[in-house]
Amino acid sequence: MIQSEKRRERLLLVGVRQQDGDDTEDSLSELKELVETAGGEPVGTVIQNREKMHPGTYVGKGKAEEIRTMLSEHQADGIVCDDELSPAQLRNLSDLLDTKVMDRTLVILEIFAMRASTSEGKIQAELAQLKYRASRLTGMGRTMSRLGGGIGTRGPGEKKLETDRRLIANRISQLKRDLEEVRRHREITRGQRIKNRIPVAAIVGYTNAGKSTLLNALTDADVLEEDMLFATLDPTTRLLELSGKQQILLTDTVGFIRKLPHHLVEAFKSTLEEAKYADYILHVVDASNPKAQQQMHIVYETLHGLGIEDKKVITLFNKQDQREAGEPLHDFRADHALNISAKYGTGLEDVKQILSKMLREDKILIERTISYQEAGLLQTIRAHGELLEESYEPEGIAIRAYVPMEIYGKIR
C-alpha cells in the first residue's frame, strides 16, 4: 500500500498597518501560528501601510498586484488576511487575485472545529461557522451563474443561494435549540454547586499560556496538553483539596486571543460564563512570551466584554523555566501574583496556600462551645467550613473553625 502525505496549503499572510507603532507584526506572527495549527503552511507576509482598510478590497489595488506576483513566486494556494473581511471585501479580493481568500476569523473557526471533542463543543463550533458563512452568502448567485449569460443562467444560481440560506437558517435554529438544552443542563450543575457551597475558581488566560497544564498539575485532570494555540476547547472542572479539608472546584476555560471573533464569543458564551459565575479568577500568563503584558491586557478586555468584573484575581506568571532574565512582570489589577512553572510544579504549593487564604477571607472565624445535643453542627461545619480544632469538654464541644455567613447564623 502506498501512503501519500496530504499536501499542506501554501498561504500568504496579509495585514494592514493603520498607524505607526501598532501591533500588526505581532498579530501577523500570531496569525502564522494559527495557520500552522489549522494545517496550512505560511510562505510569506505582506503588510500595507494605509490610514484605513480599503472598504472594497481590504488592501489597495497596487498592493493587490504585488500580492498577485508573490502568489506566483511562492506557488501559493491562497491568502489569509489578518482581519475579518466583509462579504464584499472577500468577494472582490477573490475576483481581483483569482485565488482562494480567507480571513483570520475563518482560520480560528477551522481550528475550533478541529479541536472540539464534546457534543457541546461541536455544537458551538458548528454554530459559529454557520453564522459566519450565512453572512457571506450575499451576492453568491452571481458567482454561481458565471458559466454564461442569457436564459437559464441566473435562475439556478439564485435558487441555489436561497436553498443554501434556508438550509443554513434551519440548521442554525436546530443548533440553538440543542445549545439551549446544554445551557439549561449547565445551569442545573452550577446551581447544584451553589447549593453544596463549594467555591469555584475559573482558570483564564491567553491561549497557550499553560491553563490545562496547571489544571493537570493541581488535580491530575488528564486534560490534553500541547504547545499550540487552542489545544483544548471544552471546559473541564475538577475538585482541588486544600489544607484544613477545604475544597475548591477549578474550571479550565477556552483560551483568549486578540481579535477573538464575535461569532465565537456568542457561540461559546455558555462556556465562557463559567468564569462569570466563578468566585475567583486564576489568570495564567505565559511569562516567557515577550508580549506578556499585551496578552494580559487582551485577557482583561475580554473579561470586561463578558461582564466579568469585581472578582478576586490571582495572576500566575507561568513558564518561569523558559523565561529569560529581564524586568519582573507585574499585574496591578490582581489581588495576588505568583511566579510558577506548572510543567515542573514550581510554586504550586504557594498557589494552594493563597487559595486557602482567600477562602478563609470569605468566612468568619468562630470559637464556640456547642452542646452535645447540637453535635450535628460539626458535620455541617466540616462540609461547608474549615474545622481547625475540636475538644470534648463536660459542658459541650469546644470548636474553633472558619465558617460561611449562613452557617455562622445557625451556630450563633
Side-chain angles (χ1 to χ4, degrees):
M1 181 181 293
I2 299 174
Q3 293 184 340
S4 59
E5 185 178 349
K6 185 178 179 181
R7 180 179 175 275
R8 298 173 66 193
E9 280 189 302
R10 295 169 60 82
L11 300 166
L12 279 179
L13 311 183
V14 181
V16 174
R17 182 191 290 118
Q18 299 183 63
Q19 60 184 18
D20 292 336
D22 67 7
D23 63 349
T24 304
E25 281 87 355
D26 296 332
S27 187
L28 281 169
S29 177
E30 188 173 84
L31 180 62
K32 179 176 180 289
E33 291 185 65
L34 288 168
V35 168
E36 290 172 342
T37 301
E41 180 184 355
V43 293
T45 300
V46 180
I47 297 177
Q48 181 173 34
N49 297 314
R50 289 180 60 93
E51 289 186 7
K52 59 180 180 180
M53 288 176 274
H54 193 288
T57 54
Y58 183 62
V59 294
K61 296 289 179 64
K63 186 60 69 172
E65 286 302 318
E66 181 184 328
I67 292 171
R68 181 196 288 273
T69 302
M70 291 185 66
L71 283 166
S72 177
E73 290 174 350
H74 290 85
Q75 297 183 330
D77 302 299
I79 69 169
V80 182
C81 298
D82 193 37
D83 296 277
E84 184 168 328
L85 301 180
S86 68
Q89 287 173 328
L90 197 65
R91 183 176 61 252
N92 294 338
L93 197 54
S94 179
D95 289 343
L96 194 61
L97 298 174
D98 192 26
T99 191
K100 182 176 183 179
V101 177
M102 296 175 284
D103 60 14
R104 185 187 185 93
T105 299
L106 187 62
V107 175
I108 294 176
L109 290 173
E110 176 72 15
I111 296 170
F112 270 57
M114 289 165 53
R115 292 278 179 263
S117 58
T118 65
S119 59
E120 180 184 4
K122 290 175 181 177
I123 291 171
Q124 290 168 325
E126 185 181 353
L127 182 59
Q129 283 183 312
L130 288 176
K131 284 184 174 180
Y132 174 86
R133 289 171 182 168
S135 66
R136 282 154 180 79
L137 283 176
T138 306
M140 288 298 290
R142 183 177 61 197
T143 305
M144 293 172 186
S145 306
R146 280 181 181 168
L147 291 177
I151 299 172
T153 54
R154 180 180 298 179
E158 293 300 325
K159 185 177 180 181
K160 178 70 165 61
L161 174 61
E162 293 303 320
T163 302
D164 287 346
R165 279 179 176 160
R166 185 167 58 254
L167 289 173
I168 288 178
N170 291 341
R171 182 58 179 161
I172 286 175
S173 297
Q174 180 61 50
L175 290 172
K176 283 183 175 179
R177 288 193 292 270
D178 293 343
L179 200 55
E180 190 58 37
E181 186 63 33
V182 172
R183 283 174 178 165
R184 280 197 292 269
H185 178 73
R186 189 181 292 279
E187 286 172 4
I188 292 171
T189 304
R190 192 180 293 131
Q192 190 62 42
R193 292 177 193 164
I194 294 171
K195 184 179 178 181
N196 293 336
R197 299 190 184 93
I198 301 178
V200 179
I203 305 174
V204 306
Y206 210 78
T207 182
N208 205 29
K211 300 181 298 299
S212 298
T213 305
L214 176 68
L215 184 66
N216 287 341
L218 289 172
T219 66
D220 298 323
D222 196 27
V223 177
L224 174 67
E225 300 174 23
E226 284 192 57
D227 185 16
M228 62 171 60
L229 305 182
F230 301 119
T232 53
L233 296 181
D234 304 302
T236 303
T237 302
R238 293 291 184 270
L239 187 68
L240 175 63
E241 299 281 351
L242 299 171
S243 62
K245 296 185 179 180
Q246 295 188 99
Q247 296 178 327
I248 188 168
L249 289 168
L250 300 183
T251 298
D252 190 12
T253 61
V254 63
F256 299 153
I257 196 169
R258 56 163 59 86
K259 302 177 184 177
L260 191 65
H262 172 71
H263 301 303
L264 276 182
V265 174
E266 283 300 309
F268 280 77
K269 204 162 190 176
S270 63
T271 301
L272 294 169
E273 280 182 345
E274 287 297 312
K276 186 174 183 177
Y277 292 103
D279 302 288
Y280 310 99
I281 299 292
L282 282 177
H283 178 193
V284 184
V285 179
D286 181 357
S288 68
N289 193 308
K291 304 299 179 182
Q293 291 288 358
Q294 289 92 319
Q295 293 182 354
M296 288 166 59
H297 178 68
I298 290 167
V299 169
Y300 279 115
E301 275 192 335
T302 307
L303 290 174
H304 176 74
L306 293 167
I308 301 171
E309 296 177 310
D310 302 324
K311 303 277 186 185
K312 290 185 177 179
V313 178
I314 304 174
T315 294
L316 305 176
F317 294 113
N318 191 27
K319 302 189 182 182
Q320 292 293 327
D321 53 294
Q322 301 176 25
R323 177 171 163 77
E324 296 179 1
E327 289 293 321
L329 292 169
H330 300 284
D331 185 1
F332 299 105
R333 285 172 283 195
D335 296 273
H336 301 276
L338 288 172
N339 294 331
I340 69 164
S341 171
K343 182 177 181 180
Y344 294 103
T346 309
L348 296 190
E349 286 303 316
D350 295 332
V351 174
K352 293 180 182 179
Q353 288 178 16
I354 285 184
L355 284 171
S356 296
K357 179 183 175 183
M358 292 178 78
L359 290 179
R360 287 180 185 137
E361 287 173 352
D362 293 333
K363 296 174 182 174
I364 300 171
L365 178 64
I366 61 167
E367 296 182 19
R368 295 282 191 276
T369 299
I370 61 174
S371 65
Y372 286 103
Q373 288 81 2
E374 298 176 305
L377 284 173
L378 286 179
Q379 186 58 35
T380 303
I381 293 172
R382 289 192 183 97
H384 305 297
E386 182 182 1
L387 185 60
L388 302 176
E389 297 174 10
E390 61 176 305
S391 61
Y392 292 81
E393 310 294 340
E395 61 276 16
I397 307 170
I399 61 170
R400 185 169 176 267
Y402 284 100
V403 296
M405 178 61 75
E406 56 269 27
I407 303 300
Y408 174 74
K410 293 180 182 178
I411 295 174
R412 185 180 60 181

